[in-house]
Amino acid sequence: MKFFVDTAEIDAIAELNDLGMVDGVTTNPSLILKSGRDIMEVTREICEMVSGPVSAEVVATEADQMIAEGRKLAKIAPNIAVKVPLTWDGLKACKVLSGEGNMVNVTLCFSANQALLAAKAGATFISPFIGRLDDINLDGMELISDIRQIYDNYGYETQILAASIRTVNHAYQSAMIGADVMTAPPAVIKSMAKHVLTDKGLDAFLADWAKTGQNIL
Ligand code: G3P
């Protein structure tokens, strides 16, 4: 499973990248706002650090403008994936931008039918938002599973990018279902290392070690 980091915070990306945990990065207008950085500048910095796809999102709502914005974002670096929303205009922009050889990430996907349309429009990635479905008492994981089955039924190559991941359980379940990629905030990725029995076991080992009176160094 590929790990994308869902942030525009350079330091957080660098820490995970040094560990080989970063196969790509996703950003969106809210994450750019949170970073307090200029979109072109911060996206360029991320692209220099990370060799995998870096999603940068258009903000126009009409296809021609989305295409113009997408072309500008794609010029930042060869590893840009242009992110467009899953609207009819977004699908038009996806078709044109992917036809020009750009990676396209179709975002804000909340149904299997939307995912099917994105695949037909040539999306490189489809981003179903798990946490936001859970927020309204629907089942985000069921959507990942449905899209996996539909894409496999017909051999679509669009990669399922499980997004809006809020918990380690979302990450685990996405991997079990076979999402190609997950994008998660740095804190969720780091939490995947935690287990209460690991902490408890380590405490016991260290307590016994202290009793031996030995040192390794
Ligand atoms: O990957 C999409 C993500 O940024 C949205 O997450 O937690 O705002 O629903 P969230």
Side-chain angles (χ1 to χ4, degrees):
M1 184 188 222
K2 282 177 271 188
F3 279 15
F4 289 180
V5 194
D6 199 28
T7 186
E9 307 291 336
I10 291 284
D11 291 349
I13 297 168
E15 184 188 3
L16 291 165
N17 197 39
D18 288 348
L19 279 175
M21 300 282 180
V22 181
D23 301 301
V25 172
T26 50
T27 66
N28 61 38
S30 304
L31 294 171
I32 295 294
L33 173 69
K34 199 171 164 198
S35 75
R37 300 281 311 275
D38 172 80
I39 182 171
M40 305 305 280
E41 191 185 280
V42 75
T43 306
R44 189 170 297 109
E45 273 179 44
I46 297 169
C47 288
E48 280 164 9
M49 185 192 309
V50 173
S51 54
V54 175
S55 290
E57 187 160 343
V58 302
V59 290
T61 53
E62 185 266 325
D64 286 346
Q65 285 300 310
M66 285 186 194
I67 293 164
E69 288 181 357
R71 286 176 180 147
K72 184 169 179 187
L73 292 169
K75 282 197 186 115
I76 294 174
N79 54 333
I80 285 286
V82 179
K83 210 173 180 190
V84 299
L86 213 158
T87 58
W88 197 247
D89 280 78
L91 292 171
K92 287 182 189 171
C94 173
K95 181 72 180 160
V96 171
L97 291 165
S98 62
E100 291 174 355
N102 300 294
M103 290 186 283
V104 179
N105 176 359
V106 180
T107 190
L108 290 168
C109 171
F110 295 97
S111 80
N113 279 338
Q114 287 181 315
L116 183 52
L117 292 178
K120 292 186 77 67
T124 315
F125 303 103
I126 182 70
S127 290
F129 275 30
I130 299 168
R132 292 193 193 185
L133 281 168
D134 291 356
D135 286 345
I136 58 163
N137 296 324
L138 294 175
D139 186 349
M141 296 320 306
E142 194 176 296
L143 176 59
I144 302 295
S145 180
D146 287 351
I147 299 171
R148 180 72 284 156
Q149 180 167 343
I150 289 169
Y151 281 7
D152 289 350
N153 284 348
Y154 299 99
Y156 287 116
E157 288 179 7
T158 299
Q159 296 180 51
I160 301 173
L161 199 176
S164 185
I165 285 196
R166 310 260 181 82
T167 67
V168 293
N169 205 37
H170 283 155
Y172 163 69
Q173 288 183 282
S174 296
M176 288 297 288
I177 291 167
D180 302 282
V181 192
M182 71 148 189
T183 188
V188 172
I189 295 175
K190 290 174 85 170
S191 289
M192 290 168 73
K194 288 189 189 153
H195 197 288
V196 65
L197 292 179
T198 305
D199 294 341
K200 194 175 167 195
L202 185 58
D203 285 348
F205 285 154
L206 293 180
D208 285 344
W209 180 250
K211 288 176 203 158
T212 70
Q214 299 178 44
N215 291 304
I216 293 177
L217 293 178

